[in-house]
Amino acid sequence: LRSLVGSEMCIRDRSTSMEQMTITAKVQIVATDADKVLLDETMSVYRDACNYVSDYVFQTHDLKQFSLNKVLYSTLREKFGLKSQMAQSVLKTVIARYRTILENHNKWIRPTFKKPQYDLVWNRDYSLTQNCFSVNTLSGRVKLPYFAEGMSKYFDHTIYRFGTAKLTNKHGKYYLHIPVTYDVEESNISDICNVVGIDRGINFVVATYDSHHKSGFVSGKAIKQKRANYSKLRKKLQMRHTPSSRRRLKAIGQRENRWMQDINHQVSKALVENNPKHTLFVLEDLSGIRNVTERVKTKDRYISVSWSFYDLEQKLIYKAKQNQSSVIKVDPRYTSQCCPACGHTEKSNRNKKIHLFTCKNCGYKSNDDRIGAMNLYRMGINYLSDSQVPDTVATE
């Protein structure tokens, strides 16, 4: 095993290529009381039409838009009063939902559309004109101003392309969730000039080690404490068995989920912004981590099993692409047991209780999460070495 002391690699760019990337811009729109009535009516009818089509698909198992259109189009127009494009969008919405269910569960499960919704096709159901969105409703188009802060950059159509948006109503506020596609420069293996090993955990959300031999830590203490408070409150509510407690449980779950997603956004954003373009981020492949953590003591299981490692991973992947960087996942075995100085691997090297790594062979000591990040960094360096191309520049 290569020692991490003084090892560093920088591979220069020789060619560039582009790839498409899609993110969702959530734009809040401003609606008058009259506009709200039209939007609510349209979303409610659209939802009812989706449930009608869902019943038919569940009975027939027909997911071909051509045949569904032939049978249901007239009914959607006459019974629900949908316009032509709305009727086509209803069919596409239901087909997409069924295909997702079949892909995830491999069996036919009837989806129910509970919340009012409305899928809008760009330049047909909605468009952007003079700082307003023009949105089609059952009673004609309405002009809706929007909050532009942080969103204006996406409206440059020479760079960004809009897709089919979703209109939602959340606590009386209306939002357009718009998929925005644009081209980014693809990061090739020959571009990489920095490697960062990232060890994910609970006491430290992330521990990092990079090509400049610098370590970084994001403490998970405050996060762990707040999630423990959520868990305690959840247990109390579960013991009440009342309709109000069940509503409260649902609200708490959604709030905790939003909070954790925000934490992951902040951590992944900091990782990308604090490293240069063409960085290779190296993560452990935690597929199947739930099966491992379920062997943890019952009292500690909630913290281990419900930790949102995957969400952080996904956010880091797309943010890294935006910065022309890459993410790879490697085998996690022995990353916290292997000495980065001499390569000696032994389970007793790591003391989990005090989070200390002490090599039984050479005596090297460090925080066990930092050791994991160092070993992931080494694996990233080895990955680059195995993928070397001519003109590679390596410095010691």
Side-chain angles (χ1 to χ4, degrees):
L1 295 175
R2 180 185 302 179
S3 171
L4 294 187
V5 180
S7 64
E8 187 173 327
M9 179 172 290
C10 183
I11 303 178
R12 304 301 180 191
D13 180 25
R14 296 188 304 134
S15 62
T16 59
S17 58
M18 305 299 289
E19 64 175 329
Q20 288 190 343
M21 184 172 183
T22 300
I23 61 174
T24 300
K26 297 181 180 180
V27 183
Q28 184 179 349
I29 54 179
V30 182
T32 64
D33 290 339
D35 294 335
K36 289 179 180 179
V37 172
L38 295 178
L39 295 177
D40 288 340
E41 178 192 13
T42 303
M43 288 192 293
S44 180
V45 171
Y46 190 96
R47 176 203 52 197
D48 294 341
C50 285
N51 283 319
Y52 178 83
V53 174
S54 179
D55 289 339
Y56 178 84
V57 171
F58 186 70
Q59 294 173 8
T60 63
H61 290 188
D62 183 3
L63 285 177
K64 296 179 181 178
Q65 181 155 354
F66 178 81
S67 57
L68 289 176
N69 182 69
K70 190 175 181 179
V71 175
L72 300 175
Y73 178 77
S74 297
T75 303
L76 293 176
R77 294 293 305 274
E78 296 169 5
K79 181 176 180 178
F80 296 96
L82 296 180
K83 297 184 178 181
S84 177
Q85 183 58 57
M86 292 180 186
Q88 298 298 333
S89 295
V90 164
L91 298 176
K92 290 179 181 179
T93 298
V94 175
I95 291 172
R97 182 71 66 86
Y98 266 102
R99 285 179 175 166
T100 299
I101 292 172
L102 289 171
E103 182 178 344
N104 293 335
H105 302 282
N106 199 29
K107 61 180 180 179
W108 288 87
I109 301 174
R110 180 190 175 279
T112 300
F113 297 82
K114 297 180 180 179
K115 295 182 179 180
Q117 66 175 72
Y118 178 21
D119 291 343
L120 303 91
V121 176
W122 172 243
N123 275 339
R124 293 194 178 184
D125 295 317
Y126 79 110
S127 59
L128 186 62
T129 57
Q130 298 180 347
N131 298 323
C132 285
F133 279 103
S134 175
V135 175
N136 200 14
T137 71
L138 294 174
S139 302
R141 285 187 171 269
V142 292
K143 301 283 187 178
L144 303 169
Y146 61 89
F147 290 97
E149 184 177 357
M151 294 295 167
S152 296
K153 64 178 183 179
Y154 297 121
F155 301 153
D156 182 352
H157 295 302
T158 62
I159 301 175
Y160 300 97
R161 300 177 294 279
F162 286 1
T164 298
K166 185 179 291 293
L167 178 65
T168 64
N169 177 1
K170 190 170 185 180
H171 305 304
K173 296 179 181 179
Y174 294 81
Y175 297 86
L176 282 173
H177 294 191
I178 306 173
V180 181
T181 302
Y182 60 101
D183 295 325
V184 294
E185 184 179 331
E186 187 175 1
S187 179
N188 297 317
I189 194 67
S190 58
D191 302 330
I192 302 301
C193 62
N194 182 45
V195 178
V196 180
I198 303 175
D199 183 78
R200 289 168 287 175
I202 296 174
N203 290 293
F204 291 108
V205 178
V206 293
T208 64
Y209 187 85
D210 62 22
S211 293
H212 300 289
H213 314 303
K214 292 183 179 180
S215 300
F217 299 90
V218 176
S219 175
K221 185 177 180 180
I223 298 172
K224 188 177 178 181
Q225 181 61 45
K226 188 167 183 176
R227 296 185 75 242
N229 292 337
Y230 272 119
S231 178
K232 186 177 180 180
L233 179 58
R234 192 178 290 109
K235 287 180 181 178
K236 288 182 178 179
L237 291 171
Q238 287 172 340
M239 295 174 64
R240 294 181 181 178
H241 303 292
T242 62
S244 61
S245 67
R246 285 190 286 270
R247 288 194 299 269
R248 182 67 174 159
L249 275 169
K250 185 177 179 180
I252 288 174
Q254 293 172 345
R255 184 182 305 152
E256 182 180 8
N257 183 54
R258 291 193 301 271
W259 167 70
M260 275 304 303
Q261 287 206 23
D262 183 60
I263 293 292
N264 286 335
H265 267 301
Q266 293 179 48
V267 172
S268 57
K269 182 179 180 180
L271 286 170
V272 172
E273 289 185 346
N274 292 337
N275 288 283
K277 291 183 178 180
H278 309 305
T279 290
L280 177 68
F281 296 100
V282 187
L283 300 174
E284 293 174 303
D285 185 353
L286 297 181
S287 302
I289 187 66
R290 178 176 291 272
N291 296 330
V292 176
T293 53
E294 283 178 348
R295 294 197 292 269
V296 176
K297 292 180 180 178
T298 303
K299 66 184 182 69
D300 299 325
R301 191 173 297 166
Y302 168 75
I303 295 175
S304 299
V305 173
S306 62
W307 203 258
S308 53
F309 294 122
Y310 180 75
D311 182 62
L312 175 60
E313 175 185 308
Q314 293 302 302
K315 287 176 170 54
L316 178 62
I317 287 173
Y318 89 78
K319 285 181 170 62
K321 281 186 177 181
Q322 289 177 316
N323 200 43
Q324 298 169 32
S325 296
S326 303
V327 177
I328 63 168
K329 296 189 291 184
V330 297
D331 191 339
R333 290 179 295 179
Y334 312 120
T335 52
S336 295
Q337 300 177 16
C338 177
C339 177
C342 70
H344 176 69
T345 301
E346 185 177 333
K347 187 175 182 179
S348 59
N349 283 349
R350 182 189 186 192
N351 188 328
K352 291 185 179 181
K353 291 185 179 179
I354 60 175
H355 300 286
L356 179 66
F357 177 95
T358 305
C359 180
K360 302 299 182 182
N361 182 53
C362 69
Y364 184 84
K365 290 185 178 182
S366 188
N367 174 273
D368 58 351
D369 291 317
R370 179 174 179 267
I371 291 295
M374 293 175 76
N375 282 317
L376 290 169
Y377 164 78
R378 171 185 55 79
M379 296 170 81
I381 291 293
N382 291 343
Y383 170 81
L384 293 181
S385 298
D386 294 340
S387 307
Q388 279 187 36
V389 293
D391 301 328
T392 295
V393 180
T395 60
E396 295 291 336

